[in-house]
Amino acid sequence: MKQYMLILLSLLISVPFGIQAQEKPTQWTLKGCLDYALEHNIQVKKSKIALEETKVDTKTAKAQLFPSLTASVTQGLVNYPSNEVATHTSYSGNYTLNANLKLFDGGKRTTAIKQQQLQTQMQELGIEQSEDDIEIAITQTYLQVLYAYEAVRINENTAEVSTAQRDRSAELLKAGSISRTDMAQMESQLSTDKYQLVVAQTNLENYKLQLKQLLELNINEEIFLQIPQLSSEDVLSPLPDKQTVYQTSLSVMPQIKSSRMNISIAELEKKKAKAGYLPSLSLNAGLGTGHLSGTDYSFGSQMWNKFNQSIGVTLSIPIFSNRENKSAVEKAQLAYESSQLDFLNAEKELLKTVEGVYLDAISSQNQYTSAIERLKSVEESYKLTEEQFYLGMKNTLELLTEKTNLLTAQQEVLQSKYMSILSIQLLNFYQKKPIDINY
């Protein structure tokens, strides 16, 4: 009996410590999501691998400046069936070592090195572009989750109010102050509000799932957000000058840098194509020897007697190349003109994006200000209508209409609030300022 009491006592003592030892779930901030995604995103990792590939290509291009060295061994049998000798078959072997160094090729190799170096820089910008894409996607989805959280809270409050009104209406029905029709309308409104709450909760889970997938979390991992306390000052923070945002974005955004760099690559390609018209000069050197069976000389003597050294210079002058050089120059010129158009298009697309975000920011802030004012008046009207309803001065339809107006006004404030926050963050993004929300 004493042993059982000790075991029970130890269990009672261990329970509180077990509860306290449970770790609290990680609460994700926007910055935490961005940092995690940039480190673990598969597309970003693939872009980094592509960068390493371009570095290898650059090393290959530089290696073309050095001489090449090849060795060859040839072994063969030769049959002489018509010879009146004891052995009709001879065995032969040839061994060579050749070196080649291109002295002049019109600058093709040095131009190719410059192109590869620019390609490496473009791939670095490609990594930045991949990071920017995931940054925008996570910011948008994160704010959608915050919006959904607040939408659930609003619908929960609405359902609670509907429950209280239903209960109060039941008392009024017993007292004979309202009809069964009014009571049925209250019941119907409560069912509608509960349904809307379920819809809001479903939307929240969908947005959380989207954020979880962007972060590439495991299937068993849950995601909990740290909810920031956003004030009207955050929503209505002063906007930077639109022209300043655009000019800054032209100098910092990777797609513009990449398009500008692509023009330089196309220009180098023109130079490399024109080099096809120029002669090339190569230096060749080699060592060789061989042997043949069926002779009066030994293997060693033949290897020494046939040992040879050679050196020479080869000058290649293009005279007629079936239009290959001319076509290469024409294609390079067209590619150069196309790269210039791509650059102009990238500038216009960026301008369109910045102007759209800036317009959204102004519009959202104005809508937020108007929605706040409207919400105040609708709340006052709803309170008066509810008081008058319980006094028998307003009917059920008038109360439910005011309640619907209140819910609509709350949702308008919520929508304009997060649209404004998103637009402000995007304006920061296009100036390469850090994206973050005050907590």
Side-chain angles (χ1 to χ4, degrees):
M1 184 67 180
K2 192 173 184 179
Q3 288 181 334
Y4 290 120
M5 291 297 294
L6 289 173
I7 294 173
L8 180 61
L9 181 60
S10 64
L11 289 174
L12 290 174
I13 293 174
S14 64
V15 168
F17 288 99
I19 295 174
Q20 292 176 2
Q22 292 179 355
E23 294 185 1
K24 295 177 64 176
T26 302
Q27 291 188 329
W28 293 82
T29 62
L30 177 56
K31 187 177 185 303
C33 290
L34 295 175
D35 293 341
Y36 182 89
L38 293 180
E39 183 179 354
H40 297 86
N41 183 259
I42 292 177
Q43 190 59 46
V44 173
K45 290 182 178 179
K46 289 181 65 177
S47 298
K48 291 179 179 178
I49 292 175
L51 173 61
E52 296 303 317
E53 291 177 349
T54 58
K55 289 181 179 179
V56 173
D57 292 337
T58 301
K59 293 178 181 178
T60 303
K62 289 181 178 180
Q64 302 305 308
L65 298 175
F66 298 98
S68 62
L69 183 65
T70 58
S72 65
V73 176
T74 303
Q75 304 291 325
L77 293 175
V78 181
N79 185 34
Y80 302 97
S82 62
N83 289 357
E84 295 180 358
V85 293
T87 302
H88 297 285
T89 303
S90 295
Y91 171 73
S92 65
N94 292 288
Y95 312 93
T96 59
L97 184 66
N98 294 310
N100 181 275
L101 174 62
K102 188 164 286 188
L103 301 176
F104 179 76
D105 62 353
K108 285 185 178 180
R109 291 170 298 164
T110 54
T111 302
I113 292 172
K114 293 177 181 178
Q115 282 184 311
Q116 280 304 135
Q117 289 173 337
L118 289 176
Q119 288 286 358
T120 300
Q121 295 177 30
M122 284 187 63
Q123 192 55 52
E124 291 174 348
L125 293 173
I127 295 176
E128 186 178 347
Q129 182 67 54
S130 298
E131 292 175 343
D132 286 351
D133 292 341
I134 190 66
E135 194 170 349
I136 289 179
I138 285 182
T139 301
Q140 291 175 333
T141 307
Y142 190 93
L143 290 175
Q144 285 176 327
V145 175
L146 294 182
Y147 170 87
Y149 267 120
E150 291 205 39
V152 168
R153 180 178 56 79
I154 289 175
N155 281 277
E156 285 176 343
N157 293 337
T158 302
E160 290 176 3
V161 170
S162 294
T163 301
Q165 289 177 342
R166 189 274 314 270
D167 295 341
R168 181 70 182 276
S169 297
E171 296 176 359
L172 294 175
L173 178 64
K174 290 180 181 179
S177 300
I178 62 172
S179 65
R180 292 187 177 274
T181 302
D182 293 330
M183 185 62 195
Q185 288 178 333
M186 287 296 186
E187 292 283 0
S188 176
Q189 185 62 43
L190 177 59
S191 299
T192 300
D193 292 338
K194 287 182 177 180
Y195 173 78
Q196 291 301 326
L197 174 59
V198 172
V199 171
Q201 291 171 336
T202 301
N203 290 336
L204 172 60
E205 293 303 318
N206 285 333
Y207 287 133
K208 287 174 65 177
L209 177 60
Q210 291 178 27
L211 182 59
K212 178 181 174 181
Q213 290 172 342
L214 286 173
L215 294 173
E216 298 177 3
L217 300 177
N218 294 329
I219 189 171
N220 295 324
E221 293 186 61
E222 292 294 330
I223 185 167
F224 301 93
L225 268 59
Q226 183 176 341
I227 307 300
Q229 300 299 321
L230 298 173
S231 63
S232 295
E233 287 75 15
D234 297 316
V235 180
L236 301 175
S237 61
L239 301 178
D241 179 67
K242 178 171 64 174
Q243 184 67 22
T244 301
V245 175
Y246 178 60
Q247 291 300 326
T248 303
S249 64
L250 285 177
S251 61
V252 298
M253 294 308 293
Q255 60 265 39
I256 301 299
K257 293 181 181 179
S258 180
S259 296
R260 189 181 292 114
M261 203 171 291
N262 202 38
I263 295 177
S264 300
I265 292 177
E267 196 168 7
L268 289 172
E269 186 63 31
K270 284 173 54 181
K271 182 179 178 181
K272 192 166 68 173
K274 290 179 180 178
Y277 289 114
L278 301 177
S280 62
L281 183 64
S282 299
L283 175 64
N284 306 290
L287 300 174
T289 188
H291 65 86
L292 180 67
S293 65
T295 66
D296 294 334
Y297 297 95
S298 65
F299 174 82
S301 298
Q302 290 189 67
M303 291 291 288
W304 172 250
N305 292 334
K306 291 188 177 183
F307 178 75
N308 62 85
Q309 301 170 337
S310 63
I311 187 170
V313 177
T314 302
L315 178 64
S316 299
I317 303 174
I319 298 175
F320 182 71
S321 60
N322 298 321
R323 209 183 186 278
E324 288 184 3
N325 292 329
K326 187 175 182 180
S327 296
V329 171
E330 290 177 352
K331 286 185 176 181
Q333 177 62 32
L334 293 173
Y336 176 73
E337 294 174 3
S338 179
S339 65
Q340 289 180 315
L341 294 175
D342 289 339
F343 176 68
L344 292 176
N345 185 64
E347 286 187 324
K348 291 184 181 296
E349 287 296 323
L350 182 60
L351 175 61
K352 186 188 301 183
T353 301
V354 170
E355 284 187 323
V357 173
Y358 196 86
L359 180 60
D360 288 342
I362 294 176
S363 176
S364 299
Q365 288 186 338
N366 291 335
Q367 289 178 12
Y368 179 77
T369 303
S370 301
I372 288 292
E373 293 297 324
R374 181 172 183 270
L375 178 60
K376 291 178 181 178
S377 61
V378 171
E379 284 177 338
E380 184 65 25
S381 176
Y382 173 72
K383 290 178 182 178
L384 294 174
T385 301
E386 187 178 35
E387 292 175 0
Q388 292 173 344
F389 170 76
Y390 291 132
L391 294 174
M393 301 171 62
K394 295 286 186 179
N395 58 37
T396 306
L397 180 60
E398 290 174 315
L399 174 63
L400 296 181
T401 300
E402 287 297 325
K403 185 178 178 182
T404 301
N405 292 339
L406 176 60
L407 180 60
T408 301
Q410 290 173 333
Q411 291 173 340
E412 288 173 351
V413 170
L414 192 60
Q415 184 176 3
S416 59
K417 171 184 176 180
Y418 281 101
M419 277 298 298
S420 178
I421 294 292
L422 175 61
S423 299
I424 292 171
Q425 295 300 322
L426 289 179
L427 288 176
N428 289 334
F429 168 81
Y430 284 107
Q431 298 176 86
K432 283 299 177 181
K433 294 181 180 179
I435 291 180
D436 201 4
I437 297 176
N438 297 323
Y439 286 86

